Amino acid sequence: MDRIELGGRWNLIRLTDRSERPIKVPGDILSALLASREIPDPYFDRNELKLQWIGREDWLLEREFDISPEILNHERVLLCIQVIDTIAEISVNGGLLGSVSNMFRPFAADMKRLLKPGTNRVSVLIFSPEKAAAEAARALPYPVPHSSFPVTSPNRNLLRKVQCMGGWDWGPCLMTGGIYDGVSLLALDGPRIEYATTSMRREGDVWRLSVTAWLDSPSACAAQLEAEVAGARGACRVELPAGASRAKVEIEVRGVEVWWPVGHGPAPGGPRPLYDLVVRLGSHELRKRVGFRELQVVAEDDSAGRSMVFRVNGSDVFCKGANWIPADALPSRWTKKRLDELLMSAVEANMNCIRVWGGGRYESDDFYEICDEKGLLVWQDCAFSCALYPSEPGFLAEVEAEIRHQVLRLRDHPSLALWCGNNEALGALGWYPESQKNPMRYIVDYDRLYEGTLGRIVRELDPERTWWPSSPSGGPADFADNWHADGRGDMHFWSVWHEGKSFSEYLSVKPRFCSEFGFQSFPNYATVASYAPEGERNVTSPAMEHHQRHNRGNTIIMETMLRYFRMPTGLRETLYLSQVLQAWAIRTAVEYWRSLRPLCMGALYWQLNDVWPVSSWSSLDYDGSWKLLHYEAKRFFEPLHLALIEKNRTIRAVAVNDGPDAYAGRLSLRLRRMDGSQAADYSVEVNVPRESSTELRALELSAMALPPEDSFLEARVDLRRISDGRTETRGAVAFLTEPKRYTLPDPRLEAKVVTGKQGPELILRCAKPAFFVYPVAEELSGRFEDSGFHLMPGEERRLRFIPTGEARSAPPNAESLNAALRILHLRASYE
Ligand code: BMA
């Protein structure tokens, strides 16, 4: 077998004027035009609007490659392209090799008949997606509606293309196209192993594996099929008729380490054990890494309704995490490094689960490999979102081929936990005038697509994994619209954001698993400066409003902010306070829902990342930097956590413990005046069992020694692990009224930058309590190890500065950090 990589420099030709420029493959058209300086930065100011023409053009991608006579001696010479975005014809030396219309299916075809020794040319002609979508709409017997956003490409639901490329309520509309994830030439004789999948059965220390090689074998042959993993080997002789699609071999593996999600198992923070699996058939070999684990998503009827619990190796895991959208609006930037950094930030914030949301894509192999390595469980939506979809035979045939490929490609990843039909497409049946008027027609379409096609193929090809009909949903075979239903399955809870309810509304529901809930904030100042020209750095300037895609987004942020906080003074203070607000909203939800375990067993907030610089629900800014929510997530998702939860004028101190160890110790609960002095002490001895949520103490607000406007509650728990005496301390602060009602004294914050062992460190002290302390160094690439915390008089905080990006190789020294340092805190946000 010979493989030649065909990535690298290709030529990109715009068909209307035959103009040419280079394109880097893998990569996309818009990024190529940007690299050749023909278009302005699409993320700056309102440039996106000037670039809508790109999706209305046809583009030709071409390159030459050399073929030696030996290559042509092979039986077949395949052209393999992982992702073509989207409607395209592929030719070799002017002869048509094939055509495609689905970016979630790979392309592979034998081009031997079109090749010659010497120089050859491969061409991929990509047609305008906008025009193709319009044509598809015209061909439909009745309209199939979809949700639209401020800048939107019509009929995006009729193309098998990443749905959010057509614009979203946090994303630009950039209908680019291109070739992604790898292009190669494969010359081979005999069958090709397209995929290898393993079914595992555990019997004590023995894992019985059945390895299936999924074949592309045009001619009959007899060959040896072998599989090796973790020092064990299985082999058998197979006789394959022409067109055989699979062959199987069994292996028995012993003594392997078991894979667990991060935070669980014998080494909760250590590397995840993964093993190389090699499958060989004749001259072809396939390699990948697998993990050994048992996983079920348990959906059982109970007195509250129906559970949704991720059970790994027999232990119930509380899923803590966020929703993932594509790493960038420009596919050229979907690099492994970027995926790694974003997912690393997820793990650093104590997340163990990521939902790959249906408006994005089935991610690259790199993504799932990183999740396997880091121990992040993956909830995988199929790529359908916020729309109705057709059920024409041609459309269903595309979807069937797509899901077959994706399931066989992904099912061996130990991180992959669940297949879910779509995002909100079940609920969307009730959203549009067309479907409200003629519901049966669209229900039949829904059933044909999701149950008749996607669900059927998932059940057939990955029977060990749960098929979850939709998100939200009451679970398998439950087709009620589960929007805001907290008894069964997963819910999306949006009352606080969309309906403007107060944060306490999060405490009005008891989700079994909340897979979406979110609150927006403005980005970090450096992000705003990257897209808003000087003179536009104001949240209601045209540039900043363009970078806010929710029609009432700024209004909701500001209105809610003023309910809780005083009017901030300037732009930096406004951005900061919006992030305090967002962190507070999501913490309120997560702490309460974690306190409900085991009734509730998952909280995935909306959303982890951004595809461009924008005001949004994300906790990571477009450049990967942490917003205050991400720092807060690190705290509210910690495995052992102390929360102060107020409901109906009662404050409860609750310890949540996701780990397998029990603790005992003391809760110090102090009522403090705003100057920090102590007014009352409500401390008690406490026990915290394993895998539990425990109320340590409850206090009526009305029975407190001071009026709420003059006091706050500070909690600290000092715990000893029963098994080995190891100690842990956690703290929490609760305001007893809206912070705007407090008269906050100036904390007289003292900040000093010193040179520590691992680089510069910031030392902070204060004379009076300082709330939501936010140190930044905007001009430097990096972040402080903590932010958004409260500092009490007498305490000292030492914070390392963690360089990111280019600063990793040239970290700042104490002097440059000191020069760039700015610190905000609540009292400093207003006059
Ligand atoms: C959800 C998501 C997204 C959307 C978000 C914010 O319901 O599924 O479609 O971006 O809300 O409105």
Side-chain angles (χ1 to χ4, degrees):
M1 189 187 84
D2 285 304
R3 177 188 284 274
I4 302 174
E5 294 305 327
L6 294 179
R9 190 187 158 118
W10 288 44
N11 209 15
L12 173 66
I13 300 159
R14 179 181 174 185
L15 282 200
T16 41
D17 61 3
R18 304 298 302 178
S19 59
E20 294 188 24
R21 74 284 296 151
I23 178 168
K24 202 169 148 227
V25 170
D28 70 277
I29 294 161
L30 200 147
S31 297
L33 297 172
L34 185 62
S36 61
R37 296 169 195 251
E38 292 171 75
I39 57 166
D41 178 356
Y43 297 166
F44 188 72
D45 200 358
R46 281 157 289 166
N47 288 345
E48 172 203 6
L49 301 176
K50 300 179 196 150
L51 302 176
Q52 296 302 309
W53 61 272
I54 295 167
R56 294 177 198 134
E57 298 275 330
D58 300 336
W59 300 89
L60 183 64
L61 284 76
E62 288 195 326
R63 77 161 267 176
E64 292 186 340
F65 59 97
D66 283 334
I67 287 291
S68 64
E70 296 79 65
I71 292 279
L72 295 175
N73 287 338
H74 286 285
E75 221 170 270
R76 293 188 292 159
V77 184
L78 304 180
L79 175 65
C80 304
I81 308 181
Q82 273 306 310
V83 176
I84 302 179
D85 175 14
T86 290
I87 316 283
E89 275 175 10
I90 302 95
S91 309
V92 173
N93 297 325
L96 184 67
L97 185 63
S99 50
V100 293
S101 55
N102 185 342
M103 76 176 280
F104 309 121
R105 277 180 78 177
F107 174 79
D110 187 1
M111 59 178 164
K112 187 171 162 180
R113 67 188 162 87
L114 299 170
L115 291 174
K116 54 184 189 333
T119 307
N120 291 261
R121 172 182 297 263
V122 55
S123 317
V124 178
L125 173 57
I126 299 185
F127 297 102
S128 154
E130 287 222 355
K131 289 184 187 158
E135 248 167 65
R138 277 193 294 275
L140 286 174
Y142 49 87
V144 180
H146 62 88
S147 300
S148 294
F149 303 99
V151 187
T152 252
S153 177
N155 305 306
R156 47 114 179 143
N157 56 335
L158 306 184
L159 297 183
R160 293 311 297 137
K161 177 174 171 73
V162 168
Q163 296 289 281
C164 66
M165 283 179 164
W168 216 263
D169 61 359
W170 36 258
C173 174
L174 294 171
M175 292 289 274
T176 189
I179 297 177
Y180 323 135
D181 291 0
V183 195
S184 55
L185 171 158
L186 201 64
L188 78 169
D189 305 300
R192 171 171 71 114
I193 311 174
E194 275 188 276
Y195 315 93
T197 58
T198 54
S199 296
M200 301 186 177
R201 199 156 39 86
R202 185 181 188 170
E203 284 166 21
D205 195 31
V206 180
W207 293 80
R208 290 187 202 287
L209 263 58
S210 175
V211 179
T212 306
W214 298 80
L215 306 173
D216 152 29
S217 51
S219 43
C221 74
Q224 170 92 345
L225 174 66
E226 285 172 24
E228 269 176 43
V229 64
R233 183 171 175 273
C236 62
R237 181 112 192 119
V238 289
E239 306 272 340
L240 299 170
S245 62
R246 63 181 104 169
K248 250 188 202 176
V249 59
E250 313 288 325
I251 324 182
E252 220 178 80
V253 181
R254 277 164 210 277
V256 286
E257 277 183 67
V258 174
W259 187 96
W260 287 88
V262 60
H264 293 265
R272 309 289 104 190
L274 296 166
Y275 296 85
D276 288 325
L277 168 72
V278 188
V279 184
R280 283 185 210 97
L281 181 69
S283 70
H284 198 211
E285 174 180 293
L286 192 146
R287 283 173 179 268
K288 63 193 227 177
R289 278 194 302 166
V290 294
F292 293 85
R293 58 109 179 92
E294 293 172 307
L295 191 148
Q296 290 161 278
V297 176
V298 183
E300 272 168 4
D301 289 343
D302 55 25
S303 56
R306 194 186 208 185
S307 65
M308 183 183 199
V309 182
F310 287 53
R311 185 168 293 161
V312 187
N313 304 317
S315 290
D316 291 352
V317 172
F318 191 105
C319 289
K320 298 176 285 193
N323 283 267
W324 171 271
I325 60 173
D328 208 294
L330 295 179
S332 291
R333 301 182 187 176
W334 292 342
T335 60
K336 183 171 183 182
K337 186 164 164 271
R338 200 169 157 85
L339 298 179
D340 195 72
E341 282 176 1
L342 291 168
L343 293 168
M344 180 49 110
S345 285
V347 172
E348 285 175 5
N350 286 313
M351 296 185 185
N352 59 17
C353 184
I354 290 290
R355 170 170 174 239
V356 179
W357 164 79
R361 67 174 194 142
Y362 312 92
E363 283 291 336
S364 62
D365 292 342
D366 287 338
F367 179 92
Y368 302 93
E369 281 164 18
I370 295 168
C371 290
D372 291 345
E373 284 163 15
K374 297 194 191 304
L376 284 168
L377 294 167
V378 177
W379 167 317
Q380 180 69 49
D381 280 2
C382 297
F384 301 84
S385 180
C386 299
L388 305 182
Y389 290 88
S391 69
E392 299 298 293
F395 189 84
L396 293 186
E398 273 303 330
V399 172
E400 177 156 348
E402 153 190 335
I403 195 65
R404 182 179 183 280
H405 164 66
Q406 298 298 348
V407 171
L408 294 178
R409 176 173 77 98
L410 301 178
R411 58 161 275 183
D412 271 7
H413 286 283
S415 57
L416 186 71
L418 178 79
W419 289 106
C420 168
N422 57 65
N423 174 67
E424 297 180 355
L426 179 54
L429 282 165
W431 292 357
Y432 310 103
E434 293 89 338
S435 53
Q436 286 161 353
K437 207 168 127 210
N438 197 343
M440 292 315 289
R441 166 191 276 173
Y442 296 95
I443 290 171
V444 171
D445 277 349
Y446 182 97
D447 183 56
R448 285 182 183 156
L449 173 61
Y450 296 105
E451 294 301 309
T453 306
L454 291 151
R456 172 174 58 81
I457 298 292
V458 169
R459 285 195 188 99
E460 177 195 323
L461 297 179
D462 196 4
E464 288 150 36
R465 266 196 196 80
T466 297
W467 163 252
W468 199 258
S470 174
S471 185
S473 151
D478 183 331
F479 299 106
D481 175 6
N482 220 47
W483 187 254
H484 288 195
D486 62 355
R488 297 168 73 75
D490 73 316
M491 79 184 296
H492 292 185
F493 188 70
W494 282 100
S495 295
V496 173
W497 175 261
H498 288 298
E499 295 158 32
K501 298 270 171 66
S502 79
F503 294 170
S504 60
E505 195 71 10
Y506 287 123
L507 283 67
S508 71
V509 287
K510 295 183 172 176
R512 310 308 302 267
F513 194 116
C514 198
S515 48
E516 267 191 29
F517 54 103
F519 198 89
Q520 276 203 3
S521 67
F522 298 120
N524 292 331
Y525 184 83
T527 302
V528 171
S530 77
Y531 67 74
E534 285 199 40
E536 292 276 301
R537 296 187 184 161
N538 179 299
V539 293
T540 49
S541 70
M544 282 199 74
E545 285 196 344
H546 186 74
H547 288 248
Q548 163 59 274
R549 288 303 160 90
H550 187 265
N551 50 5
R552 291 183 304 113
N554 286 356
T555 310
I556 299 176
I557 297 175
M558 294 309 295
E559 205 237 85
T560 316
M561 183 188 287
L562 299 184
R563 265 192 249 154
Y564 294 94
F565 296 106
R566 296 193 184 184
M567 178 69 105
T569 39
L571 176 65
R572 278 196 174 83
E573 290 77 8
T574 307
L575 305 182
Y576 155 78
L577 210 53
S578 77
Q579 294 194 16
V580 170
L581 188 73
Q582 179 192 33
W584 190 358
I586 303 307
R587 173 167 54 83
T588 305
V590 172
E591 288 187 335
Y592 180 60
W593 297 338
R594 285 191 72 190
S595 83
L596 299 176
R597 79 166 284 163
L599 180 78
C600 174
M601 284 303 279
L604 310 179
Y605 64 75
W606 185 266
Q607 71 210 58
L608 181 71
N609 53 317
D610 271 329
V611 299
W612 74 320
V614 66
S615 301
S616 85
W617 299 266
S618 74
S619 62
L620 295 174
D621 232 344
Y622 171 64
D623 63 357
S625 58
W626 290 25
K627 291 179 173 179
L628 274 184
L629 170 58
H630 210 78
Y631 288 100
E632 195 65 42
K634 184 175 177 174
R635 281 187 283 271
F636 63 59
F637 279 148
E638 58 197 350
L640 181 63
H641 181 65
L642 174 67
L644 289 171
I645 299 172
E646 191 211 315
K647 193 175 177 182
N648 304 330
R649 307 306 286 159
T650 300
I651 291 210
R652 295 182 306 130
V654 176
V656 184
N657 179 11
D658 292 333
D661 294 294
Y663 294 83
R666 186 170 176 78
L667 170 76
S668 321
L669 202 50
R670 299 201 171 98
L671 189 69
R672 287 179 181 263
R673 295 184 190 87
M674 299 323 290
D675 67 2
S677 59
Q678 188 175 315
D681 188 331
Y682 308 100
S683 302
V684 280
E685 299 299 313
V686 295
N687 284 305
V688 178
R690 56 178 295 193
E691 292 168 4
S692 69
S693 152
T694 312
E695 180 178 301
L696 306 178
R697 174 98 222 238
L699 295 171
E700 301 283 323
L701 278 188
S702 56
M704 297 247 185
L706 282 178
E709 296 76 27
D710 293 334
S711 56
F712 64 96
L713 203 60
E714 197 208 359
R716 179 187 151 116
V717 68
D718 294 295
L719 295 171
R720 198 172 12 83
R721 190 152 75 183
I722 307 290
S723 58
D724 60 4
R726 194 191 139 131
T727 55
E728 299 274 359
T729 299
R730 297 289 185 273
V733 159
F735 299 121
L736 307 181
T737 184
E738 291 88 356
K740 67 180 177 184
R741 300 189 194 285
Y742 287 134
T743 305
L744 295 180
D746 177 355
R748 301 207 302 277
L749 205 63
E750 246 179 63
K752 202 160 81 181
V753 181
V754 298
T755 304
K757 275 198 207 100
Q758 292 166 283
E761 281 178 17
L762 171 64
I763 303 180
L764 289 172
R765 288 194 205 90
C766 60
K768 305 278 180 229
F771 298 109
F772 305 113
V773 180
Y774 177 71
V776 283
E778 285 151 7
E779 294 87 43
L780 303 177
S781 169
R783 61 180 176 84
F784 284 99
E785 64 179 313
D786 199 3
S787 192
F789 51 86
H790 310 303
L791 191 67
M792 294 297 135
E795 272 177 21
E796 179 182 286
R797 284 298 303 262
R798 282 179 91 94
L799 301 174
R800 274 186 309 120
F801 184 77
I802 303 168
T804 53
E806 313 96 61
R808 272 203 201 107
S809 45
N813 58 23
E815 211 182 357
S816 51
L817 184 60
N818 194 40
L821 181 68
R822 278 173 207 271
I823 305 178
L824 271 174
H825 53 82
L826 189 55
R827 180 60 194 89
S829 69
Y830 62 88
E831 300 263 303

